[in-house]
mmCIF file of all heavy atoms in Angstrom:
data_model
loop_
_atom_site.group_PDB
_atom_site.id
_atom_site.type_symbol
_atom_site.label_atom_id
_atom_site.label_comp_id
_atom_site.label_asym_id
_atom_site.label_seq_id
_atom_site.Cartn_x
_atom_site.Cartn_y
_atom_site.Cartn_z
ATOM 1 N N PRO A 122 124.706 -30.984 27.748
ATOM 2 C CA PRO A 122 125.560 -30.697 28.891
ATOM 3 C C PRO A 122 124.869 -29.718 29.846
ATOM 4 O O PRO A 122 124.221 -28.771 29.418
ATOM 5 C CB PRO A 122 126.773 -30.087 28.280
ATOM 6 C CG PRO A 122 126.778 -30.497 26.854
ATOM 7 C CD PRO A 122 125.351 -30.630 26.468
ATOM 8 N N PRO A 123 124.974 -29.943 31.146
ATOM 9 C CA PRO A 123 124.323 -29.067 32.090
ATOM 10 C C PRO A 123 124.844 -27.590 31.969
ATOM 11 O O PRO A 123 126.057 -27.345 32.009
ATOM 12 C CB PRO A 123 124.741 -29.621 33.451
ATOM 13 C CG PRO A 123 125.169 -31.043 33.199
ATOM 14 C CD PRO A 123 125.709 -31.049 31.808
ATOM 15 N N ASP A 124 123.923 -26.683 31.804
ATOM 16 C CA ASP A 124 124.251 -25.243 31.613
ATOM 17 C C ASP A 124 123.488 -24.444 32.660
ATOM 18 O O ASP A 124 122.283 -24.436 32.688
ATOM 19 C CB ASP A 124 123.844 -24.823 30.198
ATOM 20 C CG ASP A 124 124.154 -23.353 29.930
ATOM 21 O OD1 ASP A 124 124.695 -22.642 30.854
ATOM 22 O OD2 ASP A 124 123.881 -22.880 28.840
ATOM 23 N N ILE A 125 124.265 -23.790 33.511
ATOM 24 C CA ILE A 125 123.689 -23.063 34.613
ATOM 25 C C ILE A 125 122.815 -21.921 34.101
ATOM 26 O O ILE A 125 121.821 -21.553 34.802
ATOM 27 C CB ILE A 125 124.776 -22.556 35.594
ATOM 28 C CG1 ILE A 125 124.204 -22.229 36.961
ATOM 29 C CG2 ILE A 125 125.525 -21.370 34.967
ATOM 30 C CD1 ILE A 125 123.764 -23.399 37.726
ATOM 31 N N ASP A 126 123.059 -21.409 32.932
ATOM 32 C CA ASP A 126 122.233 -20.331 32.392
ATOM 33 C C ASP A 126 120.833 -20.879 32.045
ATOM 34 O O ASP A 126 119.846 -20.188 32.190
ATOM 35 C CB ASP A 126 122.879 -19.675 31.180
ATOM 36 C CG ASP A 126 122.148 -18.455 30.685
ATOM 37 O OD1 ASP A 126 121.724 -17.663 31.502
ATOM 38 O OD2 ASP A 126 121.985 -18.330 29.437
ATOM 39 N N ALA A 127 120.769 -22.130 31.607
ATOM 40 C CA ALA A 127 119.457 -22.723 31.334
ATOM 41 C C ALA A 127 118.666 -22.891 32.673
ATOM 42 O O ALA A 127 117.465 -22.685 32.690
ATOM 43 C CB ALA A 127 119.638 -24.050 30.639
ATOM 44 N N LEU A 128 119.383 -23.288 33.728
ATOM 45 C CA LEU A 128 118.719 -23.407 35.004
ATOM 46 C C LEU A 128 118.270 -22.015 35.501
ATOM 47 O O LEU A 128 117.147 -21.891 36.065
ATOM 48 C CB LEU A 128 119.630 -24.031 36.033
ATOM 49 C CG LEU A 128 119.088 -24.126 37.477
ATOM 50 C CD1 LEU A 128 117.738 -24.869 37.533
ATOM 51 C CD2 LEU A 128 120.134 -24.801 38.407
ATOM 52 N N GLY A 129 119.050 -20.998 35.257
ATOM 53 C CA GLY A 129 118.615 -19.637 35.624
ATOM 54 C C GLY A 129 117.308 -19.274 34.920
ATOM 55 O O GLY A 129 116.453 -18.622 35.535
ATOM 56 N N ALA A 130 117.162 -19.692 33.665
ATOM 57 C CA ALA A 130 115.954 -19.423 32.939
ATOM 58 C C ALA A 130 114.752 -20.179 33.523
ATOM 59 O O ALA A 130 113.659 -19.694 33.619
ATOM 60 C CB ALA A 130 116.102 -19.767 31.513
ATOM 61 N N VAL A 131 114.986 -21.429 33.936
ATOM 62 C CA VAL A 131 113.964 -22.244 34.601
ATOM 63 C C VAL A 131 113.530 -21.548 35.914
ATOM 64 O O VAL A 131 112.312 -21.474 36.171
ATOM 65 C CB VAL A 131 114.503 -23.683 34.893
ATOM 66 C CG1 VAL A 131 113.510 -24.449 35.743
ATOM 67 C CG2 VAL A 131 114.722 -24.420 33.586
ATOM 68 N N LEU A 132 114.442 -21.043 36.663
ATOM 69 C CA LEU A 132 114.117 -20.379 37.895
ATOM 70 C C LEU A 132 113.309 -19.084 37.625
ATOM 71 O O LEU A 132 112.397 -18.735 38.345
ATOM 72 C CB LEU A 132 115.378 -20.041 38.681
ATOM 73 C CG LEU A 132 116.182 -21.211 39.221
ATOM 74 C CD1 LEU A 132 117.457 -20.731 39.904
ATOM 75 C CD2 LEU A 132 115.358 -22.047 40.168
ATOM 76 N N ALA A 133 113.695 -18.358 36.570
ATOM 77 C CA ALA A 133 112.974 -17.127 36.256
ATOM 78 C C ALA A 133 111.498 -17.430 35.915
ATOM 79 O O ALA A 133 110.648 -16.616 36.214
ATOM 80 C CB ALA A 133 113.652 -16.465 35.041
ATOM 81 N N LEU A 134 111.230 -18.569 35.342
ATOM 82 C CA LEU A 134 109.861 -18.955 34.979
ATOM 83 C C LEU A 134 109.124 -19.495 36.186
ATOM 84 O O LEU A 134 107.949 -19.166 36.402
ATOM 85 C CB LEU A 134 109.872 -20.010 33.899
ATOM 86 C CG LEU A 134 110.320 -19.552 32.498
ATOM 87 C CD1 LEU A 134 110.489 -20.755 31.548
ATOM 88 C CD2 LEU A 134 109.361 -18.564 31.899
ATOM 89 N N GLY A 135 109.802 -20.302 37.018
ATOM 90 C CA GLY A 135 109.139 -21.025 38.090
ATOM 91 C C GLY A 135 109.262 -20.382 39.439
ATOM 92 O O GLY A 135 108.403 -20.724 40.342
ATOM 93 N N ASN A 136 110.219 -19.522 39.615
ATOM 94 C CA ASN A 136 110.408 -18.872 40.950
ATOM 95 C C ASN A 136 111.023 -17.518 40.770
ATOM 96 O O ASN A 136 112.197 -17.286 41.173
ATOM 97 C CB ASN A 136 111.250 -19.760 41.833
ATOM 98 C CG ASN A 136 111.103 -19.408 43.333
ATOM 99 O OD1 ASN A 136 110.306 -20.011 44.007
ATOM 100 N ND2 ASN A 136 111.884 -18.456 43.802
ATOM 101 N N PRO A 137 110.369 -16.576 40.145
ATOM 102 C CA PRO A 137 110.955 -15.238 39.926
ATOM 103 C C PRO A 137 111.307 -14.586 41.251
ATOM 104 O O PRO A 137 110.652 -14.742 42.272
ATOM 105 C CB PRO A 137 109.844 -14.469 39.203
ATOM 106 C CG PRO A 137 108.579 -15.220 39.535
ATOM 107 C CD PRO A 137 108.950 -16.648 39.666
#
Side-chain angles (χ1 to χ4, degrees):
D124 180 359
I125 200 69
D126 188 42
L128 176 55
V131 171
L132 295 177
L134 291 171
N136 199 93

